[in-house]
């Protein structure tokens, strides 16, 4: 699973990326700092199953702090997009290409309105302009791909009787678009099967709906720590009730993670507080208190960074965290709940078996719920945080 950070320059994409991954990327206050997309591991936060099993987990991947399991996903930092990107402006085509592999997007905006449309410092910029322009650029990106192949796939549908959804899936395959995305979108927009007759407006309606279905997006209303952010955020919520907008301060998250890494504080990403562990100097205390007062205590999701990642994976993409577990033998070899896997929503016990190993799938007898010891059939639909053992022949 890959999540791409998108947005105009200087909104805090690289800061978000660095906070979420603690990787080294350049951070500076001018456009196009990041020339190449960089990818790294970020983490979604899951209530670890260790509590219910009265044990302490030993994660293979990621980590666990006080019962909070951090499961890795891939995050991608991309250089800023500017208006006209879909026509190639500001190396736009190259940057859009970097986004093809993403399963979903996090659009970072500067909710404080202190950067203009090109990312230069200003005051009073309306952040809704940024939301609108980015949607337009992404829609145009899809539209260009549609139009490029229109003649060819329309002919295949009209003359060779090929299914429209199949022809369109082939056309958009480079963007990780799946046939079900196309089918769902066609149902939603209700356009004629004969796509050669579509008007340009109808094409626009289709590509926009397809873009939303295949690259769902959450908006990180970043720089909420700046005074003008709070009011702008309220306005955005009213203007875009259909969008998922999370108040966010990537800068604060980065500071907290640095402080935690240096052993100054204990901080669990996503929480609304931290604990000071060491004697700190006045400046450090003041900085931490500012974050506490202006961000952590003020906003529902603390700095918002963890919430944005969790919403992307669990709400937008519908993934389920699943623990392979065998209640009877938990702790054998000193290994406890080593894995927490993310499976697509709708997966069954049998899907989970195949996910673990083809042999498990082929030789599946039943799954055992490690909490209740109940046997589950192969059709059992997985639930978030299930802890399951697969019994094979
Ligand atoms: N006040 C504040 N500044 C931030 C925040 N996130 C990033 N910045 C600053 O915004 C500027 C641009 O950040 P950067 O991450 O390079 O933006 P990018 O171009 O979108 O990757 C830098 O000076 C950051 O320190 C935030 O949450 N609050
Ligand atoms: Mg950057």
């Amino acid at each position: 699973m890959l999540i791409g950070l998108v947005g105009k320059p200087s909104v805090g994409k690289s800061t978000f990326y660095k906070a979420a991954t603690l990787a080294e990327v350049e951070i500076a206050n001018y456009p196009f700092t990041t020339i190449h997309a960089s990818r790294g591991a970020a983490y979604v936060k899951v209530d670890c199953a260790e509590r219910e099993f009265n044990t302490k987990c030993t994660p293979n991947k990621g980590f666990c702090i006080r019962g909070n399991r951090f499961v890795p996903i891939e995050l991608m930092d991309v250089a800023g997009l500017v208006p006209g990107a879909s026509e190639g402006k500001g190396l736009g085509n190259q940057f859009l290409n970097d986004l093809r592999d993403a399963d979903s997007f996090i659009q970072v905006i500067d909710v404080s309105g202190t950067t203009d449309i090109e990312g230069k410092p200003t005051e009073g910029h309306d952040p809704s302009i940024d939301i609108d322009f980015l949607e337009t650029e992404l829609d145009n990106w899809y539209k260009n791909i549609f139009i490029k192949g229109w003649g060819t796939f329309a002919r295949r549908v009209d003359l060779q009787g090929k299914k429209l959804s199949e022809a369109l899936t082939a056309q958009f395959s480079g963007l990780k678009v799946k046939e079900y995305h196309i089918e769902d979108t066609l149902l939603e927009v209700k356009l004629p099967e004969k796509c050669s007759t579509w008007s340009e407006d109808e094409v626009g309606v289709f590509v926009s709906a397809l873009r939303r279905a295949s690259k769902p997006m959450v908006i990180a209303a970043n720089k909420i720590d700046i005074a003008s952010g709070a009011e702008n955020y309220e306005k955005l919520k009213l203007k875009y009730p259909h969008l998922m907008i999370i108040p966010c301060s990537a800068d604060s998250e980065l500071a907290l993670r640095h402080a935690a890494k240096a052993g100054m504080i204990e901080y669990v990403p996503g929480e609304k507080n931290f604990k000071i562990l060491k004697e700190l100097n006045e400046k450090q205390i003041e900085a931490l208190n500012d974050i506490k007062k202006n961000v952590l205590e003020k906003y529902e999701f603390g700095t918002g960074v963890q919430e944005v990642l969790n919403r992307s994976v669990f709400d937008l993409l519908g993934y389920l965290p699943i623990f392979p577990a065998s209640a009877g033998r938990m702790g054998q070899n000193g290994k406890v709940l080593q894995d927490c896997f993310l499976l697509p929503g709708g997966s069954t016990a049998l899907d989970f078996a195949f996910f673990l190993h083809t042999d498990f799938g082929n030789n599946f007898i039943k799954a055992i719920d490690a909490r209740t010891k109940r046997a589950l059939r192969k059709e059992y639909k997985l639930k978030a945080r299930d802890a399951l053992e697969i019994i094979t022949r």
Side-chain angles (χ1 to χ4, degrees):
M1 186 182 346
L2 177 66
I3 299 178
L5 290 161
V6 297
K8 72 179 186 187
S10 297
V11 289
K13 296 182 298 300
S14 296
T15 308
F16 189 108
Y17 177 84
K18 191 165 182 185
T21 61
L22 271 185
E24 289 302 311
V25 291
E26 248 206 304
I27 300 178
N29 201 7
Y30 55 88
F32 304 117
T33 315
T34 325
I35 299 298
H36 298 290
S38 46
R39 294 181 181 195
Y43 303 88
V44 287
K45 184 180 174 183
V46 177
D47 257 351
C48 190
E50 65 175 21
R51 301 182 202 221
E52 295 116 293
F53 293 104
N54 249 321
T55 178
K56 183 82 202 84
C57 71
T58 55
N60 261 339
K61 289 184 179 154
F63 51 95
C64 193
I65 320 174
R66 288 197 279 115
N68 298 286
R69 185 74 171 250
F70 288 86
V71 181
I73 55 155
E74 205 179 354
L75 188 66
M76 170 167 62
D77 182 23
V78 177
L81 293 168
V82 293
S86 55
E87 273 86 60
K89 203 176 155 215
L91 297 178
N93 288 325
Q94 185 193 322
F95 298 161
L96 286 167
N97 264 339
D98 289 336
L99 300 177
R100 286 188 313 194
D101 291 337
D103 294 290
S104 72
F105 292 147
I106 294 169
Q107 184 188 1
V108 183
I109 60 168
D110 174 353
V111 76
S112 73
T114 56
T115 41
D116 71 11
I117 192 79
E118 289 182 326
K120 299 194 188 77
T122 184
E123 257 169 47
H125 179 77
D126 176 1
S128 70
I129 296 171
D130 303 0
I131 295 179
D132 296 342
F133 109 76
L134 195 94
E135 289 201 324
T136 306
E137 292 305 327
L138 295 176
D139 286 351
N140 285 343
W141 174 39
Y142 270 59
K143 194 174 183 180
N144 289 343
I145 290 166
F146 183 99
I147 288 173
K148 217 189 246 166
W150 197 357
T152 316
F153 64 74
R155 216 164 27 247
R156 290 208 180 113
V157 172
D158 291 358
L159 301 176
Q160 296 163 20
K162 196 167 181 180
K163 248 175 80 187
L164 178 59
S165 59
E166 248 174 66
L168 285 169
T169 305
Q171 182 64 18
F172 282 97
S173 60
L175 265 68
K176 243 186 170 179
V177 172
K178 303 284 184 313
E179 189 158 4
Y180 73 85
H181 290 136
I182 304 264
E183 280 169 352
D184 291 353
T185 305
L186 287 171
L187 278 177
E188 183 193 327
V189 297
K190 298 188 183 70
L191 290 169
E193 178 84 10
K194 211 168 159 11
C195 67
S196 55
T197 64
W198 292 4
S199 68
E200 199 166 333
D201 280 353
E202 287 173 326
V203 171
V205 168
F206 172 77
V207 292
S208 181
L210 180 63
R211 192 263 305 163
R212 278 178 272 121
S214 56
K215 307 270 188 211
M217 187 149 78
V218 50
I219 295 178
N222 197 37
K223 307 198 188 184
I224 195 80
D225 53 288
I226 296 177
S228 46
E231 194 190 329
N232 285 341
Y233 169 63
E234 292 305 323
K235 282 191 200 151
L236 289 180
K237 272 201 303 190
L238 286 179
K239 186 162 178 191
Y240 303 98
H242 57 292
L243 297 181
M244 203 184 274
I245 308 177
I246 311 292
C248 187
S249 176
D251 213 25
S252 305
E253 179 73 11
L254 185 58
L256 291 171
R257 290 204 188 191
H258 271 313
K261 210 176 176 185
M264 292 192 261
I265 60 170
E266 183 180 79
Y267 170 65
V268 180
E271 286 188 358
K272 287 165 65 70
N273 52 39
F274 54 82
K275 202 166 88 194
I276 294 182
L277 299 176
K278 263 191 193 168
E279 193 139 321
L280 303 175
N281 66 38
E282 228 167 82
K283 235 181 101 190
Q284 289 168 327
I285 291 176
E286 199 189 312
L288 287 170
N289 279 340
D290 273 354
I291 292 175
K292 194 179 226 168
K293 190 168 133 258
N294 294 328
V295 180
L296 295 183
E297 287 174 354
K298 203 162 156 192
Y299 293 99
E300 194 182 349
F301 309 113
T303 72
V305 169
Q306 191 61 57
E307 182 70 13
V308 165
L309 293 166
N310 272 44
R311 292 267 192 123
S312 300
V313 171
F314 299 126
D315 294 4
L316 285 186
L317 296 171
Y319 277 78
L320 302 166
I322 307 293
F323 298 90
S326 50
R329 296 190 305 280
M330 184 121 23
Q332 222 178 31
N333 315 323
K335 290 174 178 154
V336 182
L337 295 167
Q338 296 175 77
D339 296 305
C340 177
F341 295 118
L342 299 170
L343 271 87
S347 297
T348 61
L350 184 63
D351 293 331
F352 182 47
F354 272 109
F355 174 88
L356 293 173
H357 200 284
T358 321
D359 291 345
F360 285 4
N362 287 329
N363 298 309
F364 182 97
I365 296 177
K366 61 184 174 185
I368 307 272
D369 181 324
R371 290 189 181 89
T372 62
K373 318 277 192 305
R374 265 185 41 224
L376 306 166
R377 293 187 307 170
K378 63 176 193 289
E379 300 84 7
Y380 170 77
K381 285 250 192 300
L382 302 179
K383 292 196 308 287
R385 300 185 64 254
D386 269 343
L388 302 178
E389 179 177 14
I390 303 295
I391 308 293
T392 55
R393 274 199 296 271

